[in-house]
Amino acid sequence: MSFRPSNDDQVLRATGVWKSYDNQTVTVLSGVDFHASGGETIALCGPSGCGKSTLLHLLGGLDEPDRGEIFVNHQPLAGNGGGLSLLRHEVGFVFQLHHLIPDLTLEENCLIPTLAAGVSRRAARDRLGQLAEKTGLAHRLNHRIQKLSGGERQRTALCRALMNQPRILLADEPTGALDERTRSQVFQLLLELVATEGVTLVMATHDRALAELCQRTVVMKDGKVYES
Amino acid sequence: MLFLKLILTNLLRHRVRTLIGIAGIAFSVAAMLTVVTILQGAIGMFERILSNDSEFIVFERNVSDLFFSNVPGDAVDQIASWSMVQHAHPVLFGIVSSPDHPIITCFGVNAGDARIHDTEWLAGRRDDFAKNPRGVALGERAAEFLKARVGSEVPIGRETFPVVGVLKTANGFEDGGVFMPLAAAQHFFHKEGVSSVATVKLKSKEDKAAFKRAVEEKFPNLIALENEEFSRSYSQFRILKATAWAVGCCGLLLGGLGVANTMIMSVFTRIREIAILRVNGFSGAQIAGIIFGESALVSAAGALAGLLLGASVIATLQFVPMLHGYVDAHVQPVVLLAVMALACLTGLAGAFYPAIYAIRIRAVDALRFE
């Protein structure tokens, strides 16, 4: 499957991004260039510590690069007060660990992003109803997180990430903590959802088999990006 | 609703810690309420002593304490003779002692004074107070602790005085006090011809300004103040009130530190949760809102519990014989409001640093290392 987007279609672009830690003694990203187009699914592959998660955090506005620029929908992230607005409206995150709040129900966890964005309760519930149907969680809405299985928790995290209808979904090893069977189910669901929602998916993964299901695979090594 | 649940969830998750925070505020509020109310009550009693059937107090200008004030008898007589004055009564305050009771308040008064004239006499007759130049009337509690009754003699200082009556007053100072004929009191305290104050009632309230001017012109060493004016300006009252509020504020400060500790622990134990909220678009203000919300709930619950506790303590103190009449169980609304406001402010101040800390949590670090 090939995908050749034009520059105009790019919803996400990083140019010459550098990032280091510990007073710049550990360089994680060394001049990374990266782009993603609308509706594209991209797998970020590479060994542990190669900078996949760091790049995702920078793309989502959770962290700032030392140098270089990141554009979301052609708008520079830096100096745009963009992090918060981005997290509310443009970007959804799914992590390896589900990162749900255990004392809340599935429904309440999913409504958190809508509360942050000021979405009306009714609209939020309607949206959750749709997503819960698609993810097979409709019967579990009032259940606490502790009562859910690992796969259900990760599907809940996926619902939460898509609640505000983001244009970009950043997923950091989203199936890494699941068993093989559940991993395959959750990943298929992830692909179906991003396809039906028209979301751009950038996913960090070690799993070559899963990466091959994405439209494009980007390999990271020694802080640099190589198209496969 | 969800926002409220995010606030409540953490409080319910760590119930013991929450209860400790609430208890800290509750005890502080109860202490403040009790101290302030008791002192306000004591001040109120003293005010009522001075304002008994009168609206002006005349005393020596620039004295730090009414016990040191000397109002000449002829000045009181002249004031009483003014056409605008309905009556003027001299009152001499003093502290006397008897065996086992080193401090007893003594009131040197004339028989026509409202304290003698209008008060309920439990034993003895009013007329005897006028007739017997050394006969003393005792407050009910004073009669009790001096083990005295009408006809007996009570030792006061180096002298003994016959008891001519026992009075029932609603005022703790008076109830535990000794009422002595003015002349006897003047002799006893070596203050012949003077009183501590003159309590004055005017025929018409419209003459208040004229009365004050007249006192100032005729008696430059004296000052006439309306009762409320006196209460506001009398330095002893101000010191007492300031002390009460200062003690109360110290209590609340301790309570506030308890809340701060609760909130800091609350933030430290949910760093990952705060990071999750940040990743899901929560602003710094929304995060701070949760922390302040928790603190406000702890403070409000603590303040309510403290009010109940304080009210119970005050109500109980009323039944302690030694304190009879000293405690005014009526909590002034302004005191109530001030205590509640201070409790809430303390709670919010206690949440300030934890909120700042929570806002500064970097989601990316918290999620990476958790």
Side-chain angles (χ1 to χ4, degrees):
Chain A
M1 191 180 297
S2 67
F3 192 90
R4 291 284 179 270
S6 68
N7 276 354
D8 290 346
D9 198 26
Q10 288 178 359
V11 293
L12 202 53
R13 185 156 61 91
T15 55
V17 168
W18 289 74
K19 184 68 184 177
S20 57
Y21 296 109
D22 296 337
N23 291 324
Q24 307 206 332
T25 55
V26 180
T27 300
V28 182
L29 300 180
S30 318
V32 166
D33 293 316
F34 175 85
H35 65 84
S37 299
E40 195 177 13
T41 54
I42 302 169
L44 274 181
C45 296
S48 292
C50 69
K52 301 187 295 290
S53 296
T54 300
L55 180 58
L56 285 181
H57 293 154
L58 294 176
L59 293 173
L62 291 184
D63 205 354
E64 292 176 1
D66 299 333
R67 273 186 284 160
E69 284 187 296
I70 293 168
F71 297 86
V72 177
N73 291 328
H74 307 283
Q75 298 294 314
L77 202 52
N80 204 14
L84 184 62
S85 174
L86 194 71
L87 289 168
R88 284 180 174 175
H89 303 293
E90 304 289 348
V91 174
F93 266 100
V94 181
F95 299 92
Q96 181 174 3
L97 300 173
H98 51 79
H99 288 320
L100 299 167
I101 297 177
D103 301 283
L104 302 183
T105 62
L106 185 159
E107 179 182 33
E108 288 161 346
N109 268 284
C110 289
L111 291 178
I112 286 173
T114 60
L115 177 66
V119 177
S120 76
R121 191 171 176 77
R122 187 171 181 173
R125 281 175 179 276
D126 288 347
R127 171 70 176 156
L128 177 58
Q130 293 167 9
L131 287 172
E133 281 296 327
K134 288 179 185 173
T135 52
L137 292 170
H139 65 298
R140 300 289 252 164
L141 285 176
N142 293 320
H143 289 224
R144 286 182 175 234
I145 298 306
Q146 293 104 317
K147 304 281 184 188
L148 304 181
S149 68
E152 286 173 324
R153 290 179 192 188
Q154 204 60 345
R155 279 186 278 156
T156 304
L158 188 54
C159 279
R160 185 183 63 185
L162 294 172
M163 278 300 290
N164 285 340
Q165 296 179 286
R167 295 185 65 181
I168 301 157
L169 183 63
L170 303 175
D172 191 358
E173 303 275 4
T175 57
L178 302 175
D179 62 64
E180 199 168 335
R181 185 163 159 268
T182 311
R183 182 184 310 164
S184 174
Q185 288 172 348
V186 170
F187 188 68
Q188 281 301 333
L189 180 65
L190 173 63
L191 288 181
E192 282 170 30
L193 277 174
V194 295
T196 54
E197 300 266 329
V199 176
T200 300
L201 172 68
V202 182
M203 176 185 69
T205 182
H206 283 107
D207 193 325
R208 279 279 175 185
L210 295 184
E212 283 173 10
L213 294 172
C214 291
Q215 292 163 340
R216 187 153 64 98
T217 301
V218 171
V219 177
M220 293 190 68
K221 192 178 176 188
D222 300 330
K224 291 187 183 297
V225 162
Y226 305 91
E227 292 280 339
S228 69
Chain B
M1 196 65 185
L2 179 56
F3 194 79
L4 183 64
K5 182 147 189 192
L6 284 170
I7 292 170
L8 282 174
T9 293
N10 198 50
L11 293 177
L12 295 174
R13 193 185 286 157
H14 304 286
R15 287 177 195 177
V16 173
R17 201 167 64 201
T18 303
L19 283 175
I20 289 172
I22 289 173
I25 288 286
F27 286 127
S28 307
V29 166
M32 185 178 218
L33 193 70
T34 307
V35 169
V36 170
T37 302
I38 288 175
L39 275 175
Q40 295 270 33
I43 291 169
M45 278 192 299
F46 199 64
E47 287 169 350
R48 284 193 293 280
I49 290 171
L50 295 170
S51 63
N52 202 333
D53 195 28
S54 67
E55 54 210 13
F56 267 97
I57 300 163
V58 179
F59 59 100
E60 191 175 347
R61 191 181 286 277
N62 296 331
V63 291
S64 61
D65 193 302
L66 288 184
F67 283 92
F68 303 126
S69 166
N70 289 313
V71 178
D74 57 350
V76 181
D77 292 341
Q78 276 191 54
I79 289 169
S81 68
W82 292 348
S83 60
M84 68 181 94
V85 173
Q86 186 171 321
H87 62 69
H89 293 299
V91 182
L92 178 63
F93 298 115
I95 299 293
V96 296
S97 62
S98 71
D100 302 331
H101 296 281
I103 297 175
I104 303 171
T105 312
C106 178
F107 305 90
V109 292
N110 285 328
D113 192 286
R115 291 159 195 80
I116 299 299
H117 199 262
D118 299 339
T119 306
E120 181 187 350
W121 283 61
L122 296 172
R125 293 167 51 213
R126 287 184 181 81
D127 295 346
D128 291 340
F129 188 79
K131 287 176 189 166
N132 190 336
R134 284 180 56 80
V136 297
L138 304 176
E140 187 181 12
R141 197 165 56 82
E144 200 175 299
F145 65 68
L146 289 171
K147 297 181 179 64
R149 52 193 170 82
V150 173
S152 64
E153 299 242 329
V154 288
I156 294 177
R158 292 178 181 174
E159 302 178 29
T160 55
F161 292 83
V163 178
V164 296
V166 177
L167 311 179
K168 183 178 180 62
T169 73
N171 189 308
F173 285 126
E174 293 177 344
D175 208 36
V178 175
F179 295 86
M180 208 179 263
L182 180 63
Q186 287 170 332
H187 177 73
F188 184 87
F189 292 112
H190 310 291
K191 286 200 162 191
E192 275 81 3
V194 298
S195 61
S196 305
V197 301
T199 58
V200 178
K201 185 171 188 179
L202 301 180
K203 288 175 183 166
S204 167
K205 290 186 177 179
E206 291 172 2
D207 292 332
K208 283 179 179 177
F211 176 74
K212 287 176 80 169
R213 272 199 309 277
V215 170
E216 201 171 331
E217 285 168 14
K218 300 274 184 187
F219 310 105
N221 289 334
L222 302 182
I223 183 169
L225 292 178
E226 285 183 67
N227 292 332
E228 285 181 7
E229 203 177 1
F230 174 79
S231 299
R232 279 199 308 272
S233 62
Y234 188 43
S235 61
Q236 303 288 354
F237 289 174
R238 284 160 60 187
I239 290 168
L240 278 176
K241 284 177 184 172
T243 305
W245 283 105
V247 169
C249 285
C250 286
L252 267 181
L253 184 66
L254 289 176
L257 289 175
V259 172
N261 185 48
T262 302
M263 299 316 301
I264 285 172
M265 292 306 293
S266 162
V267 171
F268 284 177
T269 53
R270 64 196 305 214
I271 286 177
R272 190 176 68 90
E273 197 170 298
I274 290 167
I276 292 169
L277 295 174
R278 290 295 257 174
V279 169
N280 283 285
F282 264 58
S283 66
Q286 285 172 315
I287 297 291
I290 291 175
I291 306 300
F292 279 118
E294 281 182 30
S295 174
L297 278 182
V298 168
S299 301
L304 279 176
L307 287 181
L308 287 175
L309 184 63
S312 306
V313 170
I314 291 165
T316 307
L317 288 178
Q318 277 189 299
F319 295 104
V320 176
M322 288 292 288
L323 297 174
H324 177 65
Y326 279 85
V327 182
D328 181 2
H330 176 68
V331 180
Q332 293 176 16
V334 67
V335 172
L336 206 63
L337 281 175
V339 169
M340 291 295 277
L342 279 172
C344 289
L345 275 177
T346 306
L348 292 178
F352 192 74
Y353 171 72
I356 297 284
Y357 187 92
I359 289 171
R360 288 182 177 166
I361 289 172
R362 278 166 47 85
V364 67
D365 295 332
L367 293 178
R368 181 181 294 138
F369 294 110
E370 193 65 32

